[in-house]
Structure formats: C-alpha cells, structure tokens
Amino acid sequence: MAKLYPYQRIGTDFLKDKGRALLADEVGLGKSIQAITACEELQARRVLILCPAILKEQWKAEIEKFYPESIASFVSGTQGDRFDLWQSDSQYTIANYELLLRDFGLIERQDWDVI
C-alpha cells in the first residue's frame, strides 16, 4: 500500500467521495498515485488509464511499485491485437490517447469501473 502525504490523502479521498471528479494538482505532486490509490481503495476491478504514449510506462511502473499485486497491461499493436487486449482481465488497462480515436467502439463495449 502506498504511503501518501497528507495533501495526497485529501486528493485521494476527494476522488473517492465525489464519484465523478478530476484531480488537477500541479505537476510533480503525485496525481498518478492518488488516482491509483483511490481505485485500489474503491476496489475497482477494471480501470482504464488514457494518457500520452510517453507516460504509459510510467503509469505501469507506479502501479507495480505501490500495488505489486495489481495487474497492469498496455493496449498496443495491430487492430487484431488490440481487440484482445481491450478485453483482457487486467485490473489496469493503459492506452495512449490516439487509441481512443481508433478503438472507441471497442472501448465503449467494456464495463469500466473507473476511467
């Protein structure tokens, strides 16, 4: 379990309590870990993370560092590869923004607990 700073605990609780919320802290204050911790504490089974392609590895590393029992996977490859990956049983599915445009039909068919 991640050890959060007090301001991160406030952000995490905000995300959990509001149901629908965005976290807009300054760069470097730990928005990723706050979002991941909120998902863990909500016991979200299917989480979709959409981010710039350059940050996909960082998201996966954060999840594995603080919650090693959680499974995170990337969506990439050919359209056929991506079809199978969108349907995987990973708790965290990480994709870059461009795939939202290409695979919107596949994404909206999934039952996401958190996006």
Side-chain angles (χ1 to χ4, degrees):
M1 178 180 221
K3 180 168 175 24
L4 302 177
Y5 292 105
Y7 70 88
Q8 291 173 322
R9 172 50 50 201
I10 292 168
T12 297
D13 290 343
F14 171 81
L15 290 174
K16 289 175 16 190
D17 294 342
K18 294 297 177 189
R20 293 178 185 225
L22 296 174
L23 190 61
D25 285 349
E26 295 292 328
V27 173
L29 293 180
K31 292 179 296 295
S32 300
I33 193 57
Q34 291 175 68
I36 294 164
T37 299
C39 291
E40 290 291 326
E41 291 179 3
L42 289 168
Q43 298 179 340
R45 192 183 75 66
R46 294 283 321 260
V47 178
L48 174 58
I49 299 169
L50 294 166
C51 62
I54 196 166
L55 295 178
K56 286 167 49 172
E57 290 282 346
Q58 182 176 337
W59 271 96
K60 190 171 191 296
E62 290 282 307
I63 293 164
E64 291 173 347
K65 176 181 177 182
F66 293 105
Y67 296 96
E69 68 284 354
S70 297
I71 298 175
S73 63
F74 299 121
V75 175
S76 62
T78 67
Q79 187 174 25
D81 293 338
R82 293 192 316 266
F83 179 83
D84 292 336
L85 293 169
W86 284 120
Q87 298 179 55
S88 81
D89 289 333
S90 294
Q91 180 180 359
Y92 294 92
T93 301
I94 306 167
N96 49 296
Y97 294 136
E98 294 81 10
L99 292 183
L100 177 62
L101 297 174
R102 291 185 192 141
D103 297 346
F104 187 77
L106 296 172
I107 295 168
E108 73 174 344
R109 284 187 225 147
Q110 301 305 310
D111 187 21
W112 304 104
D113 296 321
V114 176
I115 298 175

